[in-house]
Amino acid sequence: MEQHTLWVEPRQQTGKGVNRKIRKSGKIPAVLYGMGKSQAVVVDPTTITRNLLNKDARNWVYSIEDGALKGTNILIKDWQVDPLSRRLLHVDLLEIDVSKKIKVTVAVNFTGKCIGVAEGGVLNIIERTIEVLAVPNKIPKSIEVDVTSLAIGRSVHLSEITLPEGVEKASHSDPTLVACVPPAKEEDATPSLTAAAEPEVITAKKPAEGEEAAKADDKKK
């Protein structure tokens, strides 16, 4: 297993005011949980920010490099980013046992030239990530799915792909990962005759100008 280290220190104080001071000092507030415990900590954002930009690094296992938590193995489980500045605001760290399987989210890469696309179909990618169980040194960077033989009207489910050795599904669900669907039919632009507005039906002849006045005079006589 490739070794990566991270600077993490425990902290006693919590709250919004404390978190603002931590960020102002150049560090990031975080929480470390797992293995039956949870505690507030402070981390150096430099390594985390750089590695979060690398999709292959998101499932890396880190060892805390010094201090009271030295030697603790952790995963970066979740993080929060400021929507405007894109600066890292908070991190969730998960303590793990490197000898036991853990649940992680892994990217799915689709390879090959789909035969259904060559026949006019459209490749519809439904899931770009899947959750799997694996020991830390067996976590794959990605799962490869070959779509070469996928014909129009066919799909690939999670149960149909071969996972790497030591990796298994994280749940009993069997999601569809990708499908080749027929091309969308162009709608007929010609308006339907039945949908056209019906002409006005004239049931009686309207009196010409002056006729109504003449009829009124006849009645008076």
Side-chain angles (χ1 to χ4, degrees):
M1 180 175 62
E2 189 176 355
Q3 294 293 320
H4 305 278
T5 59
L6 194 65
W7 182 90
V8 181
E9 282 190 354
R11 60 187 171 104
Q12 301 299 324
Q13 297 179 319
T14 60
K16 293 183 179 179
V18 173
N19 290 346
R20 282 195 293 266
K21 290 180 180 179
I22 292 173
R23 296 186 188 103
K24 191 174 181 179
S25 70
K27 301 297 188 295
I28 297 295
V31 60
L32 173 62
Y33 63 95
M35 308 288 286
K37 57 187 176 182
S38 176
Q39 67 180 112
V41 295
V42 178
V43 300
D44 183 345
T46 306
T47 300
I48 297 178
T49 301
R50 181 179 65 247
N51 290 349
L52 288 180
L53 296 175
N54 179 3
K55 292 182 179 180
D56 293 338
R58 292 185 179 179
N59 285 327
W60 280 358
V61 176
Y62 296 86
S63 178
I64 297 178
E65 60 186 359
D66 53 21
L69 299 171
K70 183 177 181 178
T72 302
N73 294 302
I74 58 175
L75 279 175
I76 299 173
K77 196 64 176 177
D78 200 4
W79 58 90
Q80 296 175 7
V81 176
D82 185 282
L84 297 178
S85 68
R86 308 307 298 170
R87 290 180 57 188
L88 195 62
L89 297 177
H90 190 275
V91 180
D92 288 353
L93 305 175
L94 176 66
E95 183 178 354
I96 61 172
D97 182 341
V98 294
S99 66
K100 296 181 179 180
K101 288 185 176 182
I102 55 176
K103 183 194 294 186
V104 291
T105 300
V106 179
V108 179
N109 289 336
F110 300 93
T111 62
K113 294 183 178 180
C114 177
I115 189 174
V117 172
E119 296 172 347
V122 178
L123 191 67
N124 182 19
I125 297 176
I126 300 169
E127 298 289 347
R128 294 186 180 274
T129 61
I130 58 174
E131 287 190 333
V132 298
L133 295 173
V135 292
N137 65 342
K138 294 288 186 178
I139 299 174
K141 292 181 179 180
S142 62
I143 303 294
E144 304 293 320
V145 176
D146 188 356
V147 298
T148 303
S149 61
L150 194 62
I152 295 176
R154 301 301 298 273
S155 59
V156 177
H157 291 76
L158 178 56
S159 61
E160 299 176 73
I161 66 174
T162 301
L163 296 174
E165 182 183 356
V167 180
E168 60 183 278
K169 294 195 307 178
S171 70
H172 296 294
S173 62
D174 189 23
T176 301
L177 304 180
V178 61
C180 186
V181 298
K185 294 182 179 180
E186 295 184 3
E187 295 183 0
D188 189 355
T190 304
S192 172
L193 294 177
T194 58
E198 295 183 359
E200 181 182 358
V201 178
I202 301 176
T203 57
K205 182 181 177 181
K206 294 182 180 180
E209 291 184 7
E211 287 186 7
E212 289 187 357
K215 288 180 180 180
D217 290 340
D218 290 340
K219 288 181 179 180
K220 290 179 180 178
K221 295 178 182 178

